[in-house]
Coordinates of all heavy atoms in Angstrom, one line a residue:
M1 N 0.8 -1.2 0.0 CA 0.0 0.0 0.0 C 0.9 1.2 0.0 O 1.9 1.3 0.7 CB -0.9 0.0 1.2 CG -1.9 1.2 1.3 SD -3.1 1.0 2.6 CE -2.0 1.1 4.0
E2 N 0.5 2.2 -0.8 CA 1.2 3.5 -0.9 C 0.7 4.3 0.3 O -0.5 4.6 0.4 CB 0.8 4.1 -2.2 CG 1.9 5.1 -2.7 CD 3.2 4.5 -3.0 OE1 3.2 3.7 -4.0 OE2 4.2 4.9 -2.4
V3 N 1.7 4.7 1.2 CA 1.3 5.5 2.3 C 1.7 7.0 2.2 O 1.2 7.8 2.9 CB 1.8 5.0 3.7 CG1 1.2 3.6 4.0 CG2 3.3 4.9 3.6
E4 N 2.6 7.2 1.2 CA 2.9 8.6 0.9 C 2.1 9.1 -0.3 O 2.3 8.5 -1.4 CB 4.4 8.7 0.6 CG 5.3 8.4 1.8 CD 6.3 9.5 2.2 OE1 6.7 10.2 1.2 OE2 6.6 9.6 3.3
I5 N 1.3 10.0 -0.1 CA 0.3 10.4 -1.1 C 0.5 11.9 -1.5 O 0.5 12.7 -0.6 CB -1.1 10.1 -0.7 CG1 -1.3 8.6 -0.5 CG2 -2.1 10.7 -1.7 CD1 -2.7 8.2 -0.1
P6 N 0.6 12.2 -2.8 CA 0.7 13.6 -3.1 C -0.7 14.3 -3.2 O -1.7 13.7 -3.8 CB 1.3 13.6 -4.5 CG 0.9 12.3 -5.1 CD 0.8 11.3 -3.9
E7 N -0.9 15.4 -2.6 CA -2.1 16.2 -2.7 C -1.8 17.6 -3.0 O -0.7 18.1 -2.7 CB -2.9 16.1 -1.4 CG -3.5 14.7 -1.0 CD -4.7 14.4 -1.8 OE1 -5.3 15.4 -2.4 OE2 -5.1 13.3 -1.9
T8 N -2.7 18.3 -3.6 CA -2.5 19.7 -3.9 C -3.1 20.6 -2.8 O -4.2 20.4 -2.3 CB -3.3 20.1 -5.2 OG1 -2.8 19.2 -6.2 CG2 -3.0 21.5 -5.6
V9 N -2.2 21.5 -2.3 CA -2.7 22.5 -1.4 C -2.5 23.9 -2.0 O -1.6 24.1 -2.9 CB -1.9 22.5 -0.1 CG1 -2.1 21.2 0.7 CG2 -0.4 22.7 -0.3
Q10 N -3.3 24.8 -1.6 CA -3.3 26.1 -2.2 C -2.9 27.2 -1.2 O -3.3 27.2 -0.1 CB -4.8 26.5 -2.7 CG -4.8 27.7 -3.6 CD -6.2 27.9 -4.2 OE1 -7.2 27.7 -3.6 NE2 -6.2 28.5 -5.4
C11 N -1.9 28.0 -1.7 CA -1.4 29.1 -0.8 C -2.5 30.0 -0.5 O -3.2 30.5 -1.3 CB -0.3 29.8 -1.5 SG 0.3 31.2 -0.7
P12 N -2.7 30.3 0.9 CA -3.8 31.2 1.2 C -3.4 32.7 0.9 O -4.3 33.6 1.0 CB -3.9 31.0 2.8 CG -2.5 30.5 3.2 CD -2.0 29.8 2.0
F13 N -2.2 33.0 0.6 CA -1.8 34.4 0.3 C -1.9 34.7 -1.2 O -2.5 35.7 -1.6 CB -0.4 34.6 0.8 CG -0.2 34.3 2.2 CD1 0.5 33.2 2.6 CD2 -0.7 35.1 3.2 CE1 0.7 32.9 4.0 CE2 -0.6 34.9 4.5 CZ 0.1 33.8 4.9
C14 N -1.4 33.9 -2.1 CA -1.3 34.2 -3.5 C -2.2 33.2 -4.3 O -2.4 33.5 -5.5 CB 0.1 34.2 -4.0 SG 0.9 32.6 -4.1
G15 N -2.7 32.1 -3.8 CA -3.5 31.3 -4.5 C -2.8 30.2 -5.3 O -3.4 29.4 -6.0
K16 N -1.5 30.2 -5.3 CA -0.7 29.2 -6.0 C -0.9 27.8 -5.5 O -0.9 27.6 -4.3 CB 0.8 29.6 -5.9 CG 1.8 28.5 -6.2 CD 2.1 28.5 -7.7 CE 3.2 27.5 -8.0 NZ 3.2 27.1 -9.4
S17 N -1.2 26.9 -6.3 CA -1.4 25.5 -5.9 C 0.0 24.8 -6.0 O 0.7 25.0 -6.9 CB -2.3 24.8 -6.8 OG -3.6 25.3 -6.7
C18 N 0.3 24.0 -5.0 CA 1.5 23.2 -5.1 C 1.2 21.8 -4.5 O 0.3 21.6 -3.7 CB 2.7 23.9 -4.4 SG 2.4 24.3 -2.7
E19 N 2.0 20.9 -5.0 CA 1.8 19.5 -4.6 C 2.7 19.2 -3.3 O 3.9 19.6 -3.3 CB 2.2 18.6 -5.7 CG 1.6 17.2 -5.6 CD 1.7 16.5 -6.9 OE1 2.8 15.9 -7.2 OE2 0.7 16.3 -7.6
V20 N 2.1 18.6 -2.4 CA 2.8 18.2 -1.1 C 2.6 16.7 -0.9 O 1.5 16.2 -1.1 CB 2.2 19.0 0.1 CG1 2.9 18.6 1.4 CG2 2.3 20.5 -0.1
M21 N 3.7 16.1 -0.5 CA 3.6 14.6 -0.2 C 3.2 14.5 1.3 O 3.7 15.1 2.2 CB 5.0 14.0 -0.4 CG 5.4 13.8 -1.8 SD 4.3 12.8 -2.8 CE 4.7 11.2 -2.2
F22 N 2.1 13.7 1.5 CA 1.6 13.5 2.8 C 1.9 12.0 3.2 O 1.7 11.1 2.5 CB 0.1 13.7 2.9 CG -0.3 15.2 2.8 CD1 -0.7 15.6 1.6 CD2 -0.2 16.0 3.8 CE1 -1.1 17.0 1.4 CE2 -0.5 17.3 3.7 CZ -1.0 17.8 2.5
D23 N 2.5 11.9 4.4 CA 2.7 10.6 5.0 C 1.4 10.2 5.8 O 1.1 10.8 6.8 CB 3.9 10.7 6.0 CG 4.2 9.3 6.6 OD1 3.4 8.4 6.4 OD2 5.1 9.2 7.4
T24 N 0.6 9.3 5.2 CA -0.7 9.0 5.8 C -0.6 8.0 6.9 O -1.7 7.6 7.5 CB -1.6 8.4 4.7 OG1 -1.0 7.2 4.1 CG2 -1.8 9.4 3.5
T25 N 0.6 7.6 7.3 CA 0.7 6.8 8.5 C 0.4 7.6 9.8 O 0.1 7.0 10.8 CB 2.0 6.1 8.6 OG1 3.1 7.0 8.6 CG2 2.2 5.1 7.5
A26 N 0.6 8.9 9.7 CA 0.2 9.8 10.8 C -1.3 10.2 10.5 O -1.6 10.8 9.5 CB 1.1 11.0 10.8
T27 N -2.1 9.8 11.5 CA -3.6 10.1 11.3 C -3.9 11.5 11.3 O -4.9 12.0 10.8 CB -4.4 9.3 12.2 OG1 -4.0 9.6 13.6 CG2 -4.3 7.8 12.0
S28 N -3.1 12.3 12.0 CA -3.4 13.7 12.2 C -2.1 14.4 12.3 O -1.2 14.0 13.0 CB -4.2 14.0 13.4 OG -4.4 15.3 13.6
D29 N -1.9 15.4 11.5 CA -0.5 16.0 11.4 C -0.7 17.5 11.0 O -1.7 17.9 10.4 CB 0.3 15.3 10.4 CG 1.8 15.5 10.6 OD1 2.2 16.1 11.6 OD2 2.6 15.0 9.7
S30 N 0.3 18.3 11.4 CA 0.3 19.7 10.9 C 1.8 20.0 10.7 O 2.7 19.6 11.4 CB -0.4 20.6 11.9 OG 0.4 20.7 13.1
F31 N 2.0 20.8 9.7 CA 3.4 21.2 9.4 C 3.3 22.5 8.6 O 2.3 22.9 8.1 CB 4.2 20.1 8.7 CG 3.5 19.6 7.4 CD1 3.8 20.1 6.2 CD2 2.6 18.6 7.5 CE1 3.1 19.6 5.0 CE2 1.9 18.1 6.4 CZ 2.2 18.6 5.1
T32 N 4.5 23.1 8.5 CA 4.6 24.4 7.8 C 5.1 24.2 6.4 O 6.1 23.4 6.2 CB 5.5 25.4 8.6 OG1 4.9 25.5 9.9 CG2 5.5 26.7 7.9
V33 N 4.5 24.9 5.4 CA 4.9 24.8 4.0 C 5.3 26.2 3.6 O 4.6 27.2 3.9 CB 3.8 24.3 3.1 CG1 4.2 24.3 1.6 CG2 3.4 22.8 3.5
D34 N 6.4 26.3 2.9 CA 6.8 27.6 2.3 C 6.3 27.6 0.9 O 6.6 26.8 0.1 CB 8.3 27.8 2.3 CG 8.8 28.1 3.7 OD1 8.1 28.7 4.5 OD2 9.9 27.6 4.0
C35 N 5.4 28.6 0.5 CA 4.9 28.7 -0.8 C 6.1 28.9 -1.8 O 7.0 29.8 -1.6 CB 4.0 29.9 -0.9 SG 3.4 30.3 -2.6
E36 N 6.1 28.2 -2.9 CA 7.2 28.3 -3.8 C 7.1 29.5 -4.7 O 8.0 30.0 -5.4 CB 7.3 27.1 -4.7 CG 6.0 26.8 -5.5 CD 6.1 25.4 -6.2 OE1 6.5 24.4 -5.6 OE2 5.7 25.4 -7.4
L37 N 5.9 30.2 -4.7 CA 5.7 31.4 -5.5 C 6.0 32.7 -4.7 O 6.9 33.5 -5.0 CB 4.3 31.5 -6.1 CG 4.1 32.6 -7.1 CD1 5.0 32.6 -8.3 CD2 2.6 32.6 -7.6
C38 N 5.3 32.9 -3.6 CA 5.4 34.1 -2.8 C 6.3 33.9 -1.6 O 6.6 34.8 -0.8 CB 4.1 34.7 -2.4 SG 3.2 33.7 -1.2
C39 N 6.7 32.6 -1.3 CA 7.7 32.3 -0.3 C 7.2 32.5 1.1 O 8.0 32.5 2.1 CB 9.0 33.0 -0.5 SG 9.8 32.6 -2.0
R40 N 5.9 32.8 1.3 CA 5.4 33.0 2.6 C 5.0 31.6 3.2 O 4.4 30.7 2.6 CB 4.1 33.9 2.6 CG 4.5 35.3 2.2 CD 3.3 36.1 2.0 NE 2.7 36.6 3.2 CZ 1.7 37.5 3.3 NH1 1.3 38.0 2.2 NH2 1.3 37.8 4.5
P41 N 5.3 31.4 4.5 CA 5.0 30.1 5.2 C 3.5 30.1 5.6 O 2.9 31.1 6.0 CB 5.9 30.1 6.4 CG 6.1 31.6 6.7 CD 6.0 32.3 5.4
F42 N 2.9 29.0 5.5 CA 1.6 28.7 6.0 C 1.5 27.3 6.6 O 2.3 26.5 6.3 CB 0.5 29.0 4.9 CG 0.6 28.1 3.7 CD1 0.0 26.9 3.6 CD2 1.4 28.6 2.6 CE1 0.1 26.2 2.4 CE2 1.5 27.8 1.5 CZ 0.9 26.6 1.4
E43 N 0.5 27.2 7.4 CA 0.3 25.9 8.2 C -0.7 25.0 7.4 O -1.7 25.5 7.0 CB -0.2 26.2 9.6 CG -0.3 24.9 10.4 CD 0.5 25.0 11.7 OE1 1.3 26.0 11.8 OE2 0.2 24.2 12.6
V44 N -0.3 23.8 7.3 CA -1.2 22.8 6.7 C -1.6 21.7 7.8 O -0.7 21.2 8.4 CB -0.5 22.1 5.5 CG1 -1.4 20.9 4.9 CG2 -0.2 23.0 4.4
L45 N -2.9 21.6 8.0 CA -3.4 20.6 8.9 C -4.0 19.5 8.1 O -4.9 19.8 7.3 CB -4.4 21.3 9.9 CG -3.8 22.4 10.7 CD1 -4.6 23.7 10.4 CD2 -3.7 22.1 12.1
V46 N -3.7 18.3 8.4 CA -4.1 17.2 7.6 C -4.7 16.0 8.5 O -4.1 15.8 9.5 CB -3.0 16.7 6.6 CG1 -1.8 16.2 7.4 CG2 -3.6 15.6 5.6
K47 N -5.7 15.4 8.0 CA -6.2 14.2 8.7 C -6.2 13.1 7.6 O -6.6 13.2 6.5 CB -7.7 14.4 9.1 CG -7.8 15.2 10.4 CD -9.2 15.1 11.0 CE -9.5 16.2 12.0 NZ -8.5 16.4 13.0
C48 N -5.6 12.0 8.1 CA -5.4 10.8 7.2 C -5.8 9.5 7.8 O -6.0 9.5 9.0 CB -3.9 10.7 6.9 SG -3.1 12.1 6.3
R49 N -6.0 8.5 7.0 CA -5.9 7.2 7.5 C -4.9 6.5 6.6 O -4.7 7.0 5.4 CB -7.3 6.5 7.6 CG -7.9 6.2 6.2 CD -9.0 5.2 6.4 NE -9.6 4.9 5.1 CZ -10.8 5.3 4.7 NH1 -11.6 6.0 5.4 NH2 -11.2 4.9 3.5
P50 N -4.2 5.4 7.0 CA -3.2 4.9 6.2 C -3.6 4.6 4.8 O -4.6 3.9 4.5 CB -2.8 3.6 6.9 CG -3.1 3.9 8.4 CD -4.4 4.8 8.3
G51 N -3.0 5.3 3.8 CA -3.3 5.1 2.4 C -4.2 6.1 1.8 O -4.4 6.2 0.6
K52 N -4.8 7.0 2.7 CA -5.7 8.0 2.2 C -5.7 9.3 3.0 O -5.6 9.3 4.2 CB -7.1 7.4 2.3 CG -8.2 8.2 1.6 CD -9.5 7.4 1.5 CE -10.7 8.2 1.0 NZ -10.4 8.7 -0.4
V53 N -5.7 10.4 2.2 CA -5.8 11.7 2.9 C -7.3 12.1 3.0 O -8.0 12.1 1.9 CB -5.1 12.8 2.1 CG1 -5.3 14.2 2.7 CG2 -3.6 12.5 2.0
L54 N -7.8 12.3 4.2 CA -9.2 12.6 4.4 C -9.6 14.0 4.3 O -10.6 14.4 3.7 CB -9.7 12.0 5.8 CG -9.4 10.5 6.0 CD1 -9.8 10.2 7.4 CD2 -10.3 9.7 5.0
K55 N -8.7 14.9 4.8 CA -9.1 16.3 4.9 C -7.8 17.1 5.0 O -6.9 16.8 5.7 CB -9.9 16.5 6.2 CG -10.6 17.9 6.3 CD -11.5 17.8 7.6 CE -12.4 19.0 7.6 NZ -11.7 20.3 7.8
I56 N -7.8 18.2 4.3 CA -6.7 19.2 4.4 C -7.2 20.5 4.7 O -8.2 21.0 4.0 CB -5.9 19.2 3.1 CG1 -5.3 17.8 2.7 CG2 -4.8 20.2 3.1 CD1 -4.8 17.7 1.3
D57 N -6.7 21.2 5.7 CA -7.0 22.5 6.0 C -5.7 23.4 5.9 O -4.6 22.9 6.3 CB -7.5 22.7 7.4 CG -9.0 22.3 7.5 OD1 -9.8 22.7 6.7 OD2 -9.3 21.5 8.5
V58 N -5.8 24.6 5.4 CA -4.7 25.5 5.3 C -5.0 26.7 6.1 O -6.1 27.3 6.1 CB -4.6 25.9 3.8 CG1 -3.5 27.0 3.7 CG2 -4.2 24.7 2.9
D59 N -4.0 27.0 7.0 CA -4.1 28.1 7.9 C -3.0 29.1 7.7 O -1.8 28.8 7.8 CB -4.1 27.5 9.3 CG -4.3 28.6 10.4 OD1 -4.5 29.7 10.1 OD2 -4.4 28.2 11.6
P60 N -3.4 30.3 7.4 CA -2.3 31.3 7.1 C -1.6 31.7 8.4 O -0.6 32.4 8.3 CB -3.0 32.5 6.5 CG -4.5 32.3 6.9 CD -4.7 30.9 7.1
G61 N -2.1 31.3 9.6 CA -1.4 31.6 10.8 C -1.7 32.9 11.4 O -2.4 33.7 10.8
Ligands
ZN1 ZN1 1.9 32.0 -2.2

């Protein structure tokens, strides 16, 4: 089973979509992503079950 899954998240500042790899073995996780376009950091909160991303929330902080 593939547990690392790519999903698209959207920068809350400039709207740029970028692909992030999620490790779905963690059922609930949050981490900071630096936007590749405007370089501003934002928080990504994710809920998973192994092999599937259930929900992604983006928080500009
Ligand atoms: Zn951005």
Side-chain angles (χ1 to χ4, degrees):
M1 183 173 62
E2 204 64 63
V3 294
E4 295 232 332
I5 294 182
E7 289 284 344
T8 301
V9 296
Q10 192 172 34
C11 173
F13 302 108
C14 70
K16 163 86 175 162
S17 294
C18 55
E19 201 168 77
V20 179
M21 290 299 289
F22 291 100
D23 179 357
T24 61
T25 55
T27 55
S28 177
D29 201 7
S30 68
F31 54 93
T32 302
V33 174
D34 289 324
C35 175
E36 58 188 44
L37 184 62
C38 70
C39 299
R40 295 173 75 170
F42 58 92
E43 183 125 347
V44 175
L45 302 123
V46 62
K47 284 191 195 312
C48 305
R49 67 166 186 250
K52 190 170 174 58
V53 176
L54 301 174
K55 189 173 193 296
I56 300 170
D57 282 315
V58 174
D59 186 353

